[in-house]
Amino acid sequence: MTFQGKCKYCTTPFPPGTARNQQYCNSGCRGRASEARAFKNQGDPNWRAVNKAEPKVEAETKPTLDEMVRVSWGAMRTLPPPSPKVLLKVATEDNLDFGPQVQVALFSDLHRNEVIDPRETGGIGLYNEDVMLERLGRWREGVARFKQTYRFPVTKLHVGALGDDLEGHGQIYPAQAYFMDRCLLDQVLGFVGNMEDIFRFYATIYEEVVVDHVPGNHGRTGNKRGDRPFVDNIENIAWMWLRDRLKDVPNLTIRVHTSFFALVDILGWTFYFSHGEDVLPMSPYAKRGGQNTKLRMNAVTGEHINYMCIGHSHTNIELEPEINGRLMVNGAFSGPGMLSVQGMHEANLPSQLIFAVHPKWGITHRTNLTLATADEIRSINVFGR
């Protein structure tokens, strides 16, 4: 016997061969029936009028847009209410689940007493002792201000000092002496004095301050790379002197590393600090390329380096070529100069990286602290305009 069912809404007989479990002849009847049930459930006395069958025009009638929206909207699932942990209100550390974190500030490429003259660069960049002191002050205050933005307590500051604190002796490249406004002795004296003030200030707002310094290429005593042993670097002497002058500060530790890199554990995460003149961070293919350097140093050290932090390139770059493995290139204080503008046709805002480290999540709350605005480093004249 052939099944002869009818639509539960418009009572139109189904054609032969229709599945026995079909209840409506089309989606339009299904939607109207759903709407009628909604009225009934809400206690509307007119639900029977809504449920009354309407004359069927044709079996292939498509539902209207309004009907489709009503059906789809009725099937939507709402989000659960927000957790109290993410509400913008004062909360305790236990409620936030942030846990203990350490603030890390990278410090590199100060190039104290370098001179960048915008008359030579066409109006791009400006650097001298006055500008350097202003930007160094912005870094000092920016690190402390960033601490105040955390919604969890931070008691420890870890400074990764990555070298090129001084401009050097004037023979790093042939014309270097013309781009300096102080001799090497004055650079060292001024640097030690400035940094002593900064670290004494940090020691008043953090319960503990730790500094790890690795030397840069501008502090070398030889004229060219390899002229003298790597350890013969004036930065090592400056930081040892600085450490001696601050030995009366009980909550400050300065570690001076004379090797080209240092591995440091911060809350269980392995950090690699190095100046980075041996790295081409933007190249993924060369042996000295950023990605290759990161993976090769894992093998060389026998450690899974979580964060490789380097300077030298004066450009903020980050690569993450592996799980829990990242290459981080810090910016510079000096900003664009002849090498970047004329030699590479590049210009970046002077900046330094600051972030927090969590024992479970690694780096969190990262910022690239800019030390100058675009208007401060760019003033271009268009003649005839």
Side-chain angles (χ1 to χ4, degrees), residues 132-359:
M132 180 274 303
L133 289 173
E134 183 177 356
R135 293 179 186 173
L136 187 59
R138 289 179 182 178
W139 178 77
R140 175 199 61 198
E141 295 168 10
V143 171
R145 185 174 62 250
F146 196 62
K147 173 184 182 292
Q148 295 174 329
T149 67
Y150 298 141
R151 298 187 67 230
F152 49 86
V154 173
T155 61
K156 182 177 180 179
L157 171 67
H158 202 127
V159 177
L162 308 179
D164 273 7
D165 311 301
L166 315 170
E167 178 56 16
H169 53 46
Q171 300 295 318
I172 303 296
Y173 57 93
Q176 187 194 19
Y178 295 98
F179 299 98
M180 296 165 45
D181 58 5
R182 296 278 184 177
C183 67
L184 185 57
L185 176 61
D186 288 346
Q187 295 174 42
V188 173
L189 291 172
F191 174 77
V192 171
N194 293 152
M195 298 308 292
E196 179 182 355
D197 292 341
I198 288 175
F199 286 127
R200 288 190 183 277
F201 167 68
Y202 286 159
T204 65
I205 60 176
Y206 296 91
E207 294 181 13
E208 183 181 5
V209 180
V210 176
V211 184
D212 283 286
H213 177 266
V214 288
N217 61 301
H218 271 247
R220 68 190 182 213
T221 56
N223 290 351
K224 295 181 180 180
R225 184 178 180 180
D227 279 357
R228 300 286 300 169
F230 183 83
V231 73
D232 287 352
N233 194 302
I234 195 67
E235 289 184 11
N236 293 333
I237 298 174
W239 279 89
M240 290 175 183
W241 184 18
L242 179 62
R243 180 180 59 189
D244 185 64
R245 291 182 61 86
L246 290 166
K247 63 183 179 181
D248 62 311
V249 183
N251 60 332
L252 171 64
T253 301
I254 296 179
R255 296 190 287 243
V256 182
H257 305 277
T258 56
S259 61
F260 79 93
F261 76 91
L263 293 181
V264 179
D265 183 282
I266 302 178
L267 292 183
W269 298 87
T270 302
F271 282 76
Y272 173 103
F273 291 147
S274 182
H275 180 61
E277 73 271 23
D278 55 312
V279 182
L280 301 173
M282 288 180 284
S283 172
Y285 306 111
K287 285 187 177 180
R288 294 172 55 210
Q291 181 170 319
N292 272 334
T293 301
K294 172 67 183 67
L295 299 176
R296 287 168 181 267
M297 290 308 293
N298 283 350
V300 169
T301 62
E303 294 279 344
H304 179 194
I305 299 169
N306 300 119
Y307 301 104
M308 174 176 279
C309 301
I310 63 175
H312 184 71
S313 293
H314 292 213
T315 304
N316 177 235
I317 304 170
E318 292 197 23
L319 302 173
E320 195 162 353
E322 56 185 319
I323 296 174
N324 280 344
R326 187 185 306 177
L327 171 68
M328 307 177 70
V329 184
N330 196 32
F333 281 80
S334 53
M338 283 293 287
L339 176 61
S340 62
V341 176
Q342 184 190 37
M344 299 183 289
H345 305 122
E346 295 178 355
N348 303 94
L349 289 174
S351 66
Q352 299 284 282
L353 279 171
I354 308 174
F355 46 84
V357 178
H358 188 280

Side-chain angles (χ1 to χ4, degrees), residues 44-176:
D44 193 317
N46 298 318
W47 75 274
R48 294 184 181 278
V50 177
N51 196 37
K52 185 178 180 180
E54 299 175 359
K56 182 175 177 61
V57 178
E58 56 182 7
E60 294 76 20
T61 300
K62 296 182 178 180
T64 66
L65 178 60
D66 289 343
E67 292 168 343
M68 294 171 63
V69 170
R70 280 196 296 268
V71 173
S72 297
W73 187 260
M76 289 289 290
R77 298 176 60 189
T78 60
L79 288 170
S83 168
K85 296 179 182 179
V86 300
L87 297 179
L88 295 178
K89 63 180 182 179
V90 177
T92 65
E93 180 184 350
D94 293 337
N95 288 334
L96 289 170
D97 288 342
F98 283 155
Q101 298 195 46
V102 171
Q103 183 179 351
V104 178
L106 298 186
F107 177 82
S108 73
D109 300 283
L110 177 67
H111 288 276
R112 184 186 173 88
N113 297 113
E114 178 188 8
V115 172
I116 297 174
D117 190 339
R119 294 177 298 178
E120 294 182 310
T121 61
I124 304 295
L126 171 64
Y127 202 61
N128 53 39
E129 187 171 43
D130 291 336
V131 175
M132 180 274 303
L133 289 173
E134 183 177 356
R135 293 179 186 173
L136 187 59
R138 289 179 182 178
W139 178 77
R140 175 199 61 198
E141 295 168 10
V143 171
R145 185 174 62 250
F146 196 62
K147 173 184 182 292
Q148 295 174 329
T149 67
Y150 298 141
R151 298 187 67 230
F152 49 86
V154 173
T155 61
K156 182 177 180 179
L157 171 67
H158 202 127
V159 177
L162 308 179
D164 273 7
D165 311 301
L166 315 170
E167 178 56 16
H169 53 46
Q171 300 295 318
I172 303 296
Y173 57 93
Q176 187 194 19

Side-chain angles (χ1 to χ4, degrees), residues 7-10 12 14 22-33 56-63 67:
C7 174
K8 291 181 64 176
Y9 184 81
C10 66
T12 300
F14 293 143
Q22 183 165 331
Q23 299 182 15
Y24 303 99
C25 59
N26 57 41
S27 57
C29 289
R30 183 182 299 107
R32 286 187 283 271
K56 182 175 177 61
V57 178
E58 56 182 7
E60 294 76 20
T61 300
K62 296 182 178 180
E67 292 168 343

